[in-house]
Amino acid sequence: MLKYIREYKIADMKDMIRNTKKQHLRSMESLQGKTAVIAGGTSGVGLSAVRVFAQYNCNLVLIARNEQKVKKLVDELQNEFKCTVVYYLADFTILEEVHKAAERILKEVPSVDILINSAGIHSTRKIYTQEGFESVFCVNYLAPFILTYRLITKLQQSPAARIIQVNSQGHRFNGFNINDLNWKKRIYTGLRGYGASKTAQLLSVWEFADRLEHTQITINAMHPGEVKSNIGSNNGPLYRWFHDKVVSKSLKDVIISGESLHYLASAPELSTVSGKYFNLTHPEKPAPHALDRETGALLWGKTLALTGLSSEKIWMSSMEEKIQCLKIL
Ligand SMILES: NC(=O)c1ccc[n+]([C@@H]2O[C@H](COP(=O)([O-])OP(=O)(O)OC[C@H]3O[C@@H](n4cnc5c(N)ncnc54)[C@H](OP(=O)(O)O)[C@@H]3O)[C@@H](O)[C@H]2O)c1
């Protein structure tokens, strides 16, 4: 931990503060004819992206846990916009449901060009899922990992595909420990649990980016700004009171997140940019602990085992690309 704190550079911190004050960049690119899979599209950051993508004529595949809520949203979108919208149900605390949703998308959705993982939670208490995973780690990291990993064969059929993981400056809280991913050995706090899940996701983004280097798929992570949303509403009344009365006063409108996701998913200047972390639309250096590639490599293996994706898939199409990929592995 101390090692990582010492690695923080003043210049990087200044950069981060500067980026936070900067206006996000916009794209005017149409998404006509493209299909985006968006997880977490029923609220906050994901919902903002859904609406912006629909305005730009993107076809949408929503992954949600609440059927009533997502059905209502699909109806609204179909009345308001020309795009087609379908939904799949999956509760991200149940990895089996995530596998099933991915399998159905692979079978039923003709093409996927964009994948956005925005489903996420922050919990002040340590809660284990019915499958035995710490719930924040499960929802914020393991479930989006499965979706990303499994949808790659579909994304590979697109002429140019982009994956964006909605991450957070909260990764800077750290809390990540490769020997205690499931919080059995340490005292849990909300910030550390959240930081651990977001750190894990960043470490996995660099691993995915390496493996996808010889494909037409890019993968990046982004911090969606400090915006008004429903995050934390699963916590107790004191937390919610503090969030509503104090924190939310300084939060921005969530439209900046949706517009930034549209920029990251469509800007021509980002067509080959992969393996980066963006503060909204501005590239930024993540915290040193999230750049530890040795730990990332260990995490990759552990994640495949935890998620039941134990055999390494090679997605590259030609033999030459496979050889290149094997060199990386
Ligand atoms: N808001 C911010 O300032 C901020 C800052 C940094 C990072 N982020 C990140 O942005 C992402 C979106 O958060 P948000 O702020 O937009 O929060 P939000 O308004 O609470 O939206 C969270 C989304 O995730 C879905 N979700 C939560 N638990 C789920 C589960 N078990 N299974 C399936 N879906 C689930 C929610 O579905 P329901 O609609 O059914 O609840 C909702 O669609 C998260 O990854 C968060 O870490 C947000």
Side-chain angles (χ1 to χ4, degrees):
M1 181 68 186
L2 267 179
K3 170 187 150 214
Y4 293 128
I5 291 172
R6 269 189 242 112
E7 282 174 24
Y8 252 113
K9 295 202 173 74
I10 301 288
D12 295 338
M13 299 294 280
K14 281 188 177 161
D15 220 30
M16 189 183 94
I17 295 164
R18 227 176 286 125
N19 282 339
T20 304
K21 291 180 183 159
K22 276 187 197 162
Q23 182 73 19
H24 64 290
L25 302 176
R26 296 286 311 274
S27 160
M28 294 302 143
E29 291 292 314
S30 165
L31 295 173
Q32 178 103 43
K34 290 193 185 291
T35 300
V37 172
I38 303 187
T42 47
S43 174
V45 171
L47 176 59
S48 175
V50 161
R51 296 195 62 81
V52 175
F53 279 45
Q55 278 159 22
Y56 283 87
N57 294 319
C58 193
N59 297 319
L60 295 164
V61 178
L62 307 180
I63 304 178
R65 62 173 163 177
N66 180 331
E67 185 154 32
Q68 218 182 344
K69 198 169 173 181
V70 74
K71 257 187 175 167
K72 190 168 169 275
L73 175 61
V74 170
D75 287 346
E76 280 167 19
L77 292 166
Q78 278 171 343
N79 286 336
E80 205 175 331
F81 303 102
K82 286 190 206 112
C83 55
T84 63
V85 192
V86 295
Y87 72 86
Y88 291 87
L89 291 176
D91 184 330
F92 276 24
T93 61
I94 306 171
L95 296 186
E96 205 189 327
E97 290 190 8
V98 183
H99 280 289
K100 281 192 181 143
E103 269 163 33
R104 286 192 58 203
I105 292 170
L106 287 174
K107 271 196 207 122
E108 296 167 16
V109 177
S111 62
V112 178
D113 307 281
I114 298 161
L115 167 63
I116 294 182
N117 275 306
S118 188
I121 53 168
H122 170 249
S123 173
T124 54
R125 287 190 308 127
K126 180 167 75 170
I127 298 167
Y128 285 97
T129 67
Q130 63 189 52
E131 293 165 336
F133 298 111
E134 187 279 309
S135 58
V136 175
F137 189 69
C138 185
V139 173
N140 294 4
Y141 174 60
L142 293 176
F145 184 98
I146 292 172
L147 217 49
T148 307
Y149 191 94
R150 298 203 66 158
L151 292 190
I152 279 172
T153 47
K154 184 62 85 175
L155 288 155
Q156 210 176 13
Q157 291 158 24
S158 159
R162 300 190 193 187
I163 302 167
I164 303 157
Q165 310 292 40
V166 178
N167 198 267
S168 174
Q169 292 292 39
H171 79 271
R172 296 181 192 278
F173 298 128
N174 201 349
F176 182 85
N177 183 333
I178 190 69
N179 297 313
D180 188 23
L181 296 176
N182 214 21
W183 290 94
K184 292 284 186 190
K185 302 178 191 162
R186 296 168 295 152
I187 293 172
Y188 182 91
T189 65
L191 290 184
R192 279 166 24 104
Y194 186 74
S197 69
K198 296 295 181 180
T199 298
Q201 186 175 60
L202 285 182
L203 291 171
S204 77
V205 167
W206 327 141
E207 295 297 314
F208 271 117
D210 276 0
R211 287 162 175 80
L212 296 171
E213 196 182 344
H214 301 285
T215 70
Q216 62 351 325
I217 306 173
T218 64
I219 178 163
N220 292 297
M222 68 95 78
H223 166 67
E226 288 77 36
V227 290
K228 289 193 175 74
S229 74
N230 284 322
I231 197 145
S233 55
N234 49 306
N235 292 314
L238 189 62
Y239 177 97
R240 293 203 307 273
W241 178 86
F242 184 72
H243 192 270
D244 288 353
K245 300 285 174 225
V246 183
V247 180
S248 75
K249 303 264 183 277
S250 62
L251 299 178
K252 296 186 182 140
D253 191 299
V254 74
I255 186 69
I256 63 171
S257 316
E259 288 175 352
S260 295
L261 281 164
H262 174 238
Y263 172 83
L264 297 175
S266 68
E269 61 271 30
L270 297 183
S271 63
T272 56
V273 173
S274 194
K276 299 279 180 237
Y277 173 69
F278 291 84
N279 183 340
L280 284 170
T281 56
H282 304 291
E284 187 172 288
K285 198 169 166 193
H289 66 264
L291 292 167
D292 182 338
R293 295 301 309 270
E294 260 177 49
T295 305
L298 288 175
L299 177 68
W300 181 267
K302 287 194 175 206
T303 308
L304 292 179
L306 288 173
T307 51
L309 295 163
S310 48
S311 64
E312 180 80 54
K313 271 189 193 163
I314 313 270
W315 301 291
M316 290 62 204
S317 50
S318 74
M319 188 49 81
E320 201 183 37
E321 283 169 338
K322 279 184 186 167
I323 291 164
Q324 284 289 350
C325 178
L326 283 169
K327 278 186 199 156
I328 297 165
L329 298 170

